[in-house]
Amino acid sequence: MTSKLTFALNHMVAPGLKPAAFFALCRELGLSDVEIRNDLAGNAIIDGTSAPAIKAQAAENGISIATINALQRFNEWNAVREAEAIELADYARNVGAKALVLVPVNDGTGQADGERQRNLRTALTALRSILGDRGVRGLVEPLGFEICSLRSKREAAEAIEDVGGATTFRMVHDTFHHHLAGEPDIFPGMTGLVHISGVDDPAVTVSDMRDPHRVLVDAGDRLDNVGQIRALVSGGYQGLLSFEPFSPVVQKLAEPRAALAESIEFIRSRV
């Protein structure tokens, strides 16, 4: 089964690296796919670096840009969100990114039954044409936090089907958020990307787990990354497994390559 595992790096793994250095890190690990972000100060995309410049730096290192992460609050659709979506979709197309990650409202609003499903469908309907016109896929990422307006992958899958979005949209299976949401079902056929990170703090409760707890996957992992990946692959998923740790412990590593290589080998040897 391990032959089907293809790893990638989200720029959150080493947010202090400039894009060229980040792409080189990926290449040195023998990987060829990355996710770039629009929320890293002093870094592409937020520093104004043009899409062609980033595309050229990736190409020099033999790297493909899998996604831009992310259009935030995508399911709170309004004129501001539409403008953000168009800008990011244009950048994704011009940089050669295959997809744009779509992150839902995560502040306790928009959670009411009926309201959240309606908001989701409104946003997906609008995004279907914006993304489709540019040849960019939308990756809907339910978040497991109790305050999130979209926790359920089943709700996301149903909404994608309802708006006729099967050719435009897939979902992100984030192993951290899947564990927090407590939703038993996985949707390998609807999954376009897997985000992986572990939690090895033995004291934190599941309801208190937050992004800073997210480290690389190792023997202390409490999220059962190995089991989740095994289930996805067994269900036919053949896409990327993208490292997305948010812990400062990982992000401040002077030499992240060794730690990443160790985590890759840990997962490969067990899935």
Side-chain angles (χ1 to χ4, degrees):
M1 191 180 293
T2 54
S3 62
K4 296 182 180 179
L5 301 187
T6 306
F7 292 92
L9 299 185
N10 186 297
H11 206 157
M12 196 54 77
V13 101
L17 294 181
K18 291 295 186 181
F22 172 57
F23 299 150
L25 169 66
C26 189
R27 185 196 70 232
E28 290 161 6
L29 282 162
L31 310 180
S32 58
D33 299 275
V34 299
E35 295 184 85
I36 60 174
R37 304 183 66 94
N38 64 328
D39 59 356
L40 298 180
N43 225 323
I45 304 163
I46 207 169
D47 68 354
T49 305
S50 71
I54 296 298
K55 184 176 184 179
Q57 290 177 28
E60 287 168 11
N61 285 278
I63 298 300
S64 296
I65 298 175
T67 80
I68 293 177
N69 193 329
L71 175 64
Q72 299 286 341
R73 304 180 72 90
F74 85 91
N75 55 339
E76 181 184 63
W77 196 255
N78 51 40
V80 171
R81 203 71 60 247
E82 180 180 31
E84 291 174 345
I86 291 170
E87 184 178 2
L88 281 171
D90 283 343
Y91 198 100
R93 176 193 59 199
N94 295 338
V95 83
K98 300 175 183 68
L100 174 63
V101 176
L102 307 172
V103 174
V105 173
N106 187 46
D107 61 7
T109 63
Q111 289 189 296
D113 196 30
E115 177 192 13
R116 67 176 188 272
Q117 293 91 342
R118 185 170 59 251
N119 288 347
L120 177 57
R121 283 158 175 76
T122 297
L124 291 177
T125 299
L127 283 163
R128 187 182 60 192
S129 58
I130 291 172
L131 296 172
D133 290 348
R134 292 160 175 83
V136 175
R137 176 163 278 180
L139 297 177
V140 179
E141 182 168 20
L143 304 183
F145 298 127
E146 293 172 7
I147 60 170
C148 187
S149 61
L150 178 59
R151 301 185 75 201
S152 165
K153 284 192 285 293
R154 180 166 296 282
E155 282 194 9
E158 290 173 352
I160 290 169
E161 183 178 353
D162 284 353
V163 304
T167 59
T168 305
F169 300 104
R170 289 291 183 273
M171 295 187 293
V172 177
H173 178 110
D174 185 297
T175 57
F176 173 80
H177 288 297
H178 180 76
H179 188 83
L180 267 58
E183 183 179 26
D185 297 330
I186 60 172
F187 298 83
M190 282 294 295
T191 299
L193 178 69
V194 175
H195 280 157
I196 56 176
S197 60
V199 173
D200 59 12
D201 183 339
V204 64
T205 64
V206 173
S207 62
D208 285 337
M209 289 180 182
R210 296 294 183 267
D211 280 339
H213 294 108
R214 298 171 64 176
V215 295
L216 299 177
V217 180
D218 59 18
D221 178 39
R222 294 176 53 191
L223 307 180
D224 190 25
N225 270 266
V226 168
Q228 290 188 49
I229 294 167
R230 188 180 291 142
L232 286 161
V233 173
S234 295
Y237 178 73
Q238 297 181 7
L240 299 174
L241 307 173
S242 182
F243 283 96
E244 193 190 34
F246 285 80
S247 169
V249 173
V250 177
Q251 294 180 350
K252 293 178 180 177
L253 287 172
E255 287 291 339
R257 183 172 62 172
L260 284 160
E262 190 174 327
S263 189
I264 289 170
E265 180 52 35
F266 175 84
I267 296 168
R268 279 196 193 280
S269 66
R270 286 161 177 81
V271 173

